[in-house]
């Protein structure tokens, strides 16, 4: 982390990117192939990080870390279709020392098409072994947590 | 459904297919891209159906139905790599009138790489609206249910 | 085609879109998986059409047509990598009554990563059979042709 | 190369693998998405190599080499559809010291759906820079060349 500290942006906790649906994303059912939504979710997490100065290159080379999906729950509520312009959101639900839980959604206009909770584990870029977040990143992510009503269920927490 | 009833195979409740990992499945982390496992899971569900005489064409044209993923929970335990030969399993955890829950796993040798629970909704092929399974299919799927220890938690059930 | 004629934009014959590289696009070689460039090329052709008022919905429902790739030649000159921001170009090399040839490239800064010539056939949306372009579209596309030095090799032309 | 020389199999110059079409391969046109055929072609080249004892691991770790697609020409003749069982062929058209040209096709029953000529370059696995094939591999590939009528057009050859 350099001294010009890339992470604050405290007001913009709710983050989203636009995503257009192309032929590549659809299947013969005429809708978006279900696995493709996971790629959209990852694009949003990646851009969420980039908006905080944490592009993949910075993460790998300055911090020796990559994130790997450890678990997900997904609810597919409505299908997206060719040419749709979607909004993919990402926010930190909970940050621990060795993992981050994101709450995400995919929306079209005022309709929610998909909701997801995605837990990513922190790995060392060089070895792909679990490691802890550097303290500066941990503290920065903690300030970005956007707890929900379920917050109280999760106390007390243990890390990992 | 014809009179020679395609569905029994009662002894082979645990079903799996082999899947080889190619370059297309991997990402720059050197492992399989996480969304790609969802495609492997679908291949196994499709082959599970085909082994019971229920290829996609039969489902769509004889039964006017398609299955669409409604929700999933996924645990990514270990990564798969280029050239790996995986085994993808599928079994019915629970069959209701308008949805089927599959328990699935992806394995390499004696290691489990991923476990998943996948709920698929029954849709009319023509309209993509929810519908009920034809009674013959419902009864056949019910005989294939492979309950787990959690079975008792799910009684009593209401359909849908 | 409505009377407010969406197609001219005669000065902007060279068209491009930006495309960011995400994990989903890469393979275990650390670079973009070669087949993925074809999806980028299609995104650019789709946006080229949209910029002229010809979104997929307009094409299918107002004009009863879809485009299908009939042939391609591709030169892979340099690899793209994670996080790269690419520029994907599309221009009409030649328009015939039942097909359109696009010249395309993928660029990163001042480097050309890939060049392609892509011939798309005109199909009826309802039947997927070959058909001719509506005359208004044909004339509009002709005005957008951007011939190269090789132009003289192609005369005289016969359609199709 | 070990002394039990994996490469001969001189009679089986025409090589093919079966490939099933799943939902993941299709698009909203109801047919296989065009870029997906490139993945099928690569599966066949990979299995062609594996059948000769040259799995990716052997290539990378024993021979320090990977193949990268350098150019392709593709003709899309007929579409494949969900559930189709295809046959993907691969044969060596021409082997040079630093590149190999494959002729490939994708077939369904007695119909040819796609033909392709694919030139792959030989790269050092460690650096991704061009290198020459080891002499034993070069000689082995040469014996597998399956020239066509166009062979005479290509003489004399210079390597690369």
């Amino acid at each position: 982390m350099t001294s010009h500290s890339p992470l604050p942006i405290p007001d913009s906790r709710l983050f989203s990117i636009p995503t257009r649906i192309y032929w590549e994303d659809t299947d013969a059912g005429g809708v978006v192939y279900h696995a493709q939504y996971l790629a959209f979710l990852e694009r949003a997490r990646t851009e969420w990080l980039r908006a905080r100065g944490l592009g993949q290159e910075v993460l790998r080379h300055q911090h020796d870390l990559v994130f790997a999906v450890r678990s997900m729950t997904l609810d597919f509520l409505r299908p997206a279709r060719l040419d749709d312009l979607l909004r993919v959101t990402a926010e930190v639900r909970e940050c621990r020392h060795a993992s981050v839980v994101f709450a995400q959604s995919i929306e079209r206009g005022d309709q929610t098409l998909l909701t997801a909770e995605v837990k990513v584990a922190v790995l060392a870029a060089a070895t792909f072994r679990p490691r802890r977040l550097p303290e500066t990143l941990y503290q920065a992510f903690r300030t970005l947590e956007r707890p929900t009503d379920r917050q109280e269920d999760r106390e007390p927490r243990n890390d990992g």
Side-chain angles (χ1 to χ4, degrees), chain A residues 21 25-34 37 79-82:
Chain A
I21 303 303
D25 302 313
T26 60
D27 71 20
V31 297
V32 168
Y33 182 63
H34 72 293
Y37 294 107
R81 294 175 189 280
L82 191 63

Side-chain angles (χ1 to χ4, degrees), chain A residues 1 8-9 14 21-22 31-32 42 46 51 65 73 81 83 91-92 95 100 104 107 117-118 128 130 138 146:
Chain A
M1 284 277 276
I9 322 185
L14 187 53
I21 303 303
Y22 295 104
V31 297
V32 168
E42 178 158 84
T46 293
L65 68 83
T73 61
R81 294 175 189 280
D83 272 354
E91 60 187 19
V92 171
C95 180
V100 183
Q104 300 197 251
E107 295 162 16
E117 191 168 273
V118 182
F128 268 65
Y138 174 71
R146 197 181 161 88

Side-chain angles (χ1 to χ4, degrees), chain A residues 5-6 8 19 44 47 54 57 67 95 108-109 112 131:
Chain A
S5 183
T19 294
E47 295 300 341
L54 297 168
E57 289 303 305
F67 291 109
C95 180
R108 182 184 52 209
T112 299
R131 54 158 288 180

Side-chain angles (χ1 to χ4, degrees), chain A residues 21-153:
Chain A
I21 303 303
Y22 295 104
W23 285 100
E24 66 191 279
D25 302 313
T26 60
D27 71 20
V31 297
V32 168
Y33 182 63
H34 72 293
Q36 189 57 19
Y37 294 107
L38 274 68
F40 301 162
L41 296 174
E42 178 158 84
R43 293 179 196 175
R45 293 195 304 277
T46 293
E47 295 300 341
W48 184 93
L49 287 163
R50 196 194 316 281
R52 282 150 190 83
L54 297 168
Q56 304 292 343
E57 289 303 305
V58 172
L59 286 173
R60 283 192 288 183
H61 298 133
Q62 284 187 29
H63 296 290
D64 182 35
L65 68 83
V66 294
F67 291 109
V69 175
R70 175 59 188 78
S71 62
M72 308 182 99
T73 61
L74 297 151
D75 280 280
F76 301 83
L77 305 176
R78 288 179 187 82
R81 294 175 189 280
L82 191 63
D83 272 354
D84 279 353
L85 185 59
L86 308 181
R87 203 163 65 94
V88 189
T89 73
E91 60 187 19
V92 171
R93 174 64 47 81
E94 182 178 9
C95 180
R96 297 189 175 192
H97 284 293
S99 64
V100 183
V101 176
F102 287 89
Q104 300 197 251
S105 67
I106 299 180
E107 295 162 16
R108 182 184 52 209
D110 57 1
Q111 292 187 310
T112 299
L113 308 187
L114 178 146
T115 60
E117 191 168 273
V118 182
K119 181 179 184 177
V120 298
V122 183
L123 304 183
T127 63
F128 268 65
R129 290 176 181 272
R131 54 158 288 180
R132 291 167 72 92
L133 278 174
E135 189 62 21
T136 46
L137 290 188
Y138 174 71
Q139 292 301 339
F141 280 31
R142 285 298 303 276
T143 68
L144 293 163
E145 274 187 9
R146 197 181 161 88
T148 63
D149 304 340
R150 285 175 285 167
Q151 172 74 6
E152 57 281 6
D153 304 340

